[in-house]
Amino acid sequence: MKDAYITKVAKFLPNKPVENHQIEEKLGYIDGKKSRAKNIILRNNQIKQRYYAIDEQGNVTHNNAQLTATAIEALCDSDFTKDDIELLSCGTSTPDQLLPSHAAMVHGILKNGILEINSTSGVCCSGMNALKYGYMAIRTGQVNNAVCTGSERVSTWTKAEFYEEEIGHLKALEDNPMIAFEKDFLRWMLSDGSGAMLLEDKPRGQNALKIEWMQGFSYAHEMETCMYAGAEKMKNGELKPWSEYHPEEWTRKSVFAIKQDVKLLGEYILVKGVNSLKKVFEKHGIGPDDVDYYLPHISSYFFKKGLYEEMKKQGLELPWDKWFLNLEHVGNVGSASIYIMLEELVASGRLKKGQKILLSVPESARFSYTYAYLTVC
């Protein structure tokens, strides 16, 4: 089988960074009031700035496909043009529409001839699953190169106007209506952006990264849904999808809003995460000493210390000096986060030949985890 190498990484973060005090100016005030949860959530997640595909007047500047295409174009130069792409594999949590697929829409923007496309759905792991498809296609000799992406355009999903009808309905029922915490929570967590990787069957340029292996784990067989959109969670833990609601209920219940069961998240995301890390170490015969850089996608710095303590508890301690994070100044960009993190590490000039990098991406939707192990060439 062929080897697969990441030969270039690019990112695109739209517009100017948005500081914490500017969030509600951009997204709007629900019912004209400041969020009671905002300051608590920001203090815990420690995110200082994020990016929105929204201009100063509140107008949308980029859709998801445009964000993705812009990151892909940043990969290209005179030696590798968009017309050279053989496979386009795109992952996202927030596609612009139900159909056509996200990758088809990106290809439509690029207009770069006939090629194979692949779209992966889900939450944060969708970006890694897009990468794995490209990795496997090169390994099996199906293609000589692949462009893989992760992207999110979540700002429009969390604008205040998205919840107006639900608030109006609640006002008729109670004196002081509030959006449920599982909906308000994510307004202060998420960011827009995109990342792209060029995979080739031969190393090229400086700091090419050989993908040694990729591995994923799902705990959906034992865990109920934690993060969801386009559905409502019933008391028995099951989801009722949007297609089973009357159209009038879609807005009255904010069915399409992104929601997260925070209690379930806190109870299981770290325990299952370290359990999966233990499994991946055992399967591939490595340990903490075989990792030079650990890039964990975490949604909030609230989980950073807890993750470290859970590693120690399970005998898998990775020292702090091996961790590389950028959440504070980029925000949580979901499926794009690991791409943007790796791009920043490569651009830092810190990498040396032979070093090992472990990419780690959790997904709280129904508790999935994906890993990639890289060697600097």
Side-chain angles (χ1 to χ4, degrees):
M1 297 180 75
K2 290 184 175 182
D3 290 327
Y5 300 86
I6 300 170
T7 58
K8 197 169 183 181
V9 192
K11 68 184 177 188
F12 177 62
L13 300 171
N15 305 314
K16 298 177 182 178
V18 176
E19 307 292 333
N20 287 350
H21 69 276
Q22 299 173 304
I23 296 176
E24 284 180 300
E25 295 174 13
K26 287 282 189 179
L27 300 182
Y29 297 88
I30 296 177
D31 196 29
K33 302 173 183 176
K34 290 184 178 181
S35 167
R36 297 179 185 178
K38 173 189 168 185
N39 290 337
I40 297 173
I41 295 167
L42 288 172
R43 185 165 63 247
N44 282 321
N45 68 29
Q46 296 181 41
I47 299 171
K48 300 292 187 283
Q49 58 184 34
R50 74 283 299 141
Y51 293 81
Y52 295 143
I54 302 172
D55 67 16
E56 298 301 322
Q57 288 71 47
N59 301 310
V60 172
T61 58
H62 306 78
N63 63 26
N64 194 329
Q66 289 168 336
L67 291 171
T68 309
T70 304
I72 292 170
E73 288 167 349
L75 290 175
C76 299
D77 53 28
S78 58
D79 294 326
F80 185 89
T81 72
K82 64 181 182 180
D83 294 322
D84 295 319
I85 300 172
E86 297 180 26
L87 166 65
L88 178 63
S89 183
C90 302
T92 188
S93 314
T94 53
D96 296 315
Q97 63 287 308
L98 297 176
L99 298 170
S101 76
H102 178 55
M105 300 307 291
V106 175
H107 185 209
I109 293 173
L110 293 174
K111 300 187 185 307
N112 56 337
I114 299 171
L115 50 75
E116 181 182 354
I117 62 171
N118 173 60
S119 295
T120 57
S121 63
V123 190
C124 301
C125 286
S126 62
M128 286 286 272
N129 291 336
L131 178 63
K132 188 167 185 178
Y133 188 91
Y135 160 72
M136 292 190 297
I138 290 177
R139 291 276 283 154
T140 56
Q142 295 290 305
V143 295
N144 297 312
N145 71 66
V147 167
C148 307
T149 70
S151 63
E152 304 296 349
R153 206 284 299 272
V154 73
S155 55
T156 50
W157 292 48
T158 55
K159 292 183 75 172
E161 60 198 50
F162 209 74
Y163 307 91
E164 284 180 358
E165 188 162 336
E166 180 179 1
I167 279 290
H169 175 69
L170 291 174
K171 278 184 174 180
L173 303 175
E174 52 190 272
D175 295 330
N176 191 22
M178 289 177 59
I179 289 293
F181 183 75
E182 61 263 26
K183 298 175 185 177
D184 196 21
F185 174 73
L186 290 168
R187 297 187 79 215
W188 322 113
M189 302 289 291
L190 304 175
S191 182
D192 296 345
S194 58
M197 298 184 193
L198 171 59
L199 275 59
E200 298 183 86
D201 59 359
K202 296 179 178 62
R204 181 163 64 94
Q206 292 185 333
N207 291 333
L209 306 172
K210 181 184 177 183
I211 304 177
E212 301 291 351
W213 46 258
M214 295 190 70
Q215 184 74 54
F217 300 92
S218 168
Y219 292 82
H221 67 296
E222 62 185 34
M223 299 300 302
E224 66 182 55
T225 304
C226 178
M227 187 175 181
Y228 51 100
E232 286 291 289
K233 193 171 183 179
M234 303 293 100
K235 290 183 178 180
N236 63 1
E238 296 295 321
L239 291 189
K240 182 177 178 180
W242 64 270
S243 56
E244 295 179 16
Y245 282 96
H246 190 279
E248 291 181 356
E249 294 181 287
W250 294 347
T251 52
R252 183 161 57 82
K253 293 179 177 288
S254 300
V255 170
F256 289 97
I258 301 175
K259 300 168 278 284
Q260 191 163 45
D261 186 326
V262 181
K263 182 179 179 181
L264 198 63
L265 177 74
E267 188 172 355
Y268 292 105
I269 193 67
L270 300 181
V271 174
K272 298 299 184 184
V274 177
N275 177 262
S276 67
L277 180 63
K278 190 172 185 177
K279 288 180 181 295
V280 86
F281 276 0
E282 290 173 351
K283 179 170 183 176
H284 295 281
I286 66 169
D289 291 342
D290 301 300
V291 177
D292 295 293
Y293 286 100
Y294 174 53
L295 276 61
H297 165 53
I298 56 176
S299 61
S300 165
Y301 278 124
F302 175 79
F303 294 115
K304 181 181 174 182
K305 184 178 180 181
L307 177 58
Y308 180 74
E309 293 299 325
E310 186 63 32
M311 285 179 174
K312 287 177 63 177
K313 183 179 177 180
Q314 297 196 34
L316 298 172
E317 183 179 357
L318 278 159
W320 287 122
D321 59 2
K322 295 187 177 187
W323 292 49
F324 185 88
L325 297 165
N326 63 358
L327 180 70
E328 182 181 78
H329 58 269
V330 173
N332 177 5
V333 204
S335 65
S337 287
I338 199 67
Y339 287 75
I340 295 168
M341 208 182 310
L342 185 61
E343 187 277 339
E344 189 169 320
L345 176 60
V346 171
S348 72
R350 295 162 58 177
L351 296 180
K352 297 177 181 178
K353 187 174 182 179
Q355 288 183 321
K356 304 292 187 180
I357 303 169
L358 180 65
L359 308 182
S360 171
V361 179
E363 174 178 298
S364 65
R366 201 152 178 173
F367 297 93
S368 300
Y369 303 84
T370 309
Y371 299 90
Y373 190 58
L374 316 176
T375 300
V376 182
C377 299

